[in-house]
Amino acid sequence: MSYVDGFVIPVPLGRLDDYLRLARRAGEIWKEYGALEYVECVGDDLRPGERASFSQNVELEPGETVIFAWVRYASHEDRNRILEQVMNDPRLADMVDHAKLPFDVERLFWGGFMERIRL
C-alpha cells in the first residue's frame, strides 16, 4: 500500500491565490520526482466541533480558511527519497524563508501515514 504525507494549513483568504500558486509549483516538482498524487483542498464547511475540528486545531482566525492537502507515494522509502529531492530543489528555495510564505508555518500540521485501506 502507498504512503501519504498529510497537511492542514490555515491560510489568510487575502493570500489564498498566492498559496495556490506556490502549491501548484510545489506539486509539479513533487510529481516530477515521483509522487503519485498531489492534492490541495480549500475549506468549504469548517464548522467548529464540540471538542475538535480543523478550524479549532489550527486556531483559525477571521479572514482565514483551512487547506487540507496530501501527497501520495508508492512506499515509505519512495517518500523519503522524493522528499529529500524536493527539499533540496533550488526551485523551492523561497519556501525556506518562512517569513515570505503566504501562511503561518507555526500553525501548520503535518505527518506521514501508512495507507491501510483503499476502497
Side-chain angles (χ1 to χ4, degrees), residues 3 75-82:
Y3 194 84
S75 67
H76 191 196
E77 294 77 21
D78 275 4
R79 178 266 203 157
N80 290 344
R81 176 185 53 78
I82 292 166

Side-chain angles (χ1 to χ4, degrees), residues 47-59:
R47 293 173 281 180
E50 288 183 31
R51 293 193 184 110
S53 68
F54 284 116
S55 57
Q56 287 167 301
N57 287 340
V58 299
E59 299 174 356

Side-chain angles (χ1 to χ4, degrees), residues 27-45:
E28 290 169 354
I29 292 169
W30 248 278
K31 297 276 301 228
E32 178 182 315
Y33 285 121
L36 302 176
E37 183 176 45
Y38 184 98
V39 178
E40 297 273 349
C41 305
V42 178
D44 181 60
D45 183 0

Side-chain angles (χ1 to χ4, degrees), residues 57-116:
N57 287 340
V58 299
E59 299 174 356
L60 195 67
E61 297 174 0
E64 291 182 330
T65 191
V66 175
I67 299 293
F68 175 54
W70 65 90
V71 183
R72 190 168 61 85
Y73 312 90
S75 67
H76 191 196
E77 294 77 21
D78 275 4
R79 178 266 203 157
N80 290 344
R81 176 185 53 78
I82 292 166
L83 192 57
E84 182 177 353
Q85 292 173 304
V86 168
M87 292 299 119
N88 290 315
D89 192 299
R91 294 172 291 176
L92 295 177
D94 55 343
M95 290 179 65
V96 175
D97 186 352
H98 293 175
K100 293 182 179 177
L101 292 174
F103 61 92
D104 181 356
V105 175
E106 298 294 321
R107 292 166 48 220
L108 173 145
F109 288 81
W110 68 273
F113 301 86
M114 294 185 300
E115 185 178 330
R116 292 294 190 230

